[in-house]
Amino acid sequence: STEDLIDSLEQFLKKDLTVLSKSGTKGKAATDNSEQYIDEIKNLLYEDTRIDEQVVKKISHLGSKLIYAGKSNEALGFLLHLNKQIDNTKFKKLRIDIMIKIGLCYFFQNDNSNALKYYKQAIADASRIGVQVESAHPYVFLGTLYQFRCDLNKAESYLQLALNHCENDPVSTKEHI
């Protein structure tokens, strides 16, 4: 039922928030180091002419740190720039991860239309190349976005997908699609 679905998702999100709050010192450190992350991203994006897989992974990881430090606006600018620079054929899986993070940035900025656009594009691209989006988060946010739009059927569908991914979703700082 819908109530069971909501209860299960609440438990998942509480677990997620508990893990994040237990790493409170990490969150504080991320906030304290956000200027360092910004400088490092600028160096990688604008001064290093070679964009290879390691650079893309590093910028993506630093973008995550900025998002969790409450600097989603800064992260968004860098991630959008990176998304334009990378070759879609060479970095397919990484581009999906970046689009999910861009969607998250827009979600935190209450730009629901762009959040929806990037989440849906990431999931569609993953499906097209035969990759499974393992994290429950994009589905939770999509369900939430559709709930905001009062499209309860789609909301329930995406929240059910999120529940299906909850068991396999490692709540950690690992980078994964």
Side-chain angles (χ1 to χ4, degrees):
S1 78
T2 304
E3 289 177 12
D4 293 337
L5 178 68
I6 291 169
D7 288 342
S8 296
L9 283 170
E10 283 178 357
Q11 289 174 5
F12 170 73
L13 291 173
K14 283 179 185 174
K15 179 179 98 175
D16 198 19
L17 291 173
T18 302
V19 169
L20 287 174
S21 67
K22 285 181 181 176
S23 64
T25 54
K26 289 182 188 176
K28 186 174 183 346
T31 303
D32 294 343
N33 294 329
S34 61
E35 292 304 316
Q36 176 187 342
Y37 302 147
I38 290 170
D39 289 342
E40 197 169 342
I41 291 172
K42 283 180 181 176
N43 183 44
L44 290 167
L45 264 181
Y46 305 120
E47 296 175 18
D48 191 344
T49 57
R50 148 185 106 6
I51 300 289
D52 63 12
E53 185 175 357
Q54 290 305 94
V55 170
V56 173
K57 284 181 179 181
K58 179 82 170 178
I59 294 170
S60 178
H61 180 72
L62 291 169
S64 292
K65 288 185 172 200
L66 284 174
I67 293 167
Y68 290 111
K71 306 268 184 183
S72 64
N73 193 41
E74 290 87 343
L76 177 62
F78 295 129
L79 292 168
L80 285 170
H81 185 77
L82 179 63
N83 195 42
K84 286 180 186 173
Q85 278 194 311
I86 61 175
D87 179 5
N88 193 28
T89 59
K90 191 174 179 183
F91 301 109
K92 290 178 185 178
K93 288 182 183 179
L94 289 171
R95 177 170 247 145
I96 292 165
D97 183 52
I98 290 164
M99 286 193 296
I100 289 170
K101 289 175 184 169
I102 290 170
L104 182 61
C105 289
Y106 280 126
F107 182 86
F108 286 148
Q109 294 175 8
N110 293 320
D111 185 344
N112 296 341
S113 293
N114 276 318
L116 193 64
K117 172 185 159 185
Y118 277 91
Y119 281 134
K120 287 177 72 174
Q121 184 65 51
I123 291 170
D125 287 357
S127 177
R128 189 172 27 261
I129 66 169
V131 174
Q132 178 74 27
V133 176
E134 295 172 7
S135 175
H137 290 96
Y139 301 107
V140 170
F141 289 122
L142 277 167
T144 303
L145 289 167
Y146 278 112
Q147 179 187 5
F148 291 159
R149 291 179 167 208
C150 296
D151 189 338
L152 300 182
N153 288 332
K154 281 187 181 176
E156 185 176 14
S157 175
Y158 279 110
L159 293 173
Q160 186 61 54
L161 283 170
L163 277 176
N164 296 342
H165 287 82
C166 284
E167 295 172 7
N168 301 327
D169 191 2
V171 181
S172 67
T173 57
K174 288 183 185 175
E175 295 294 315
H176 62 278
I177 297 177

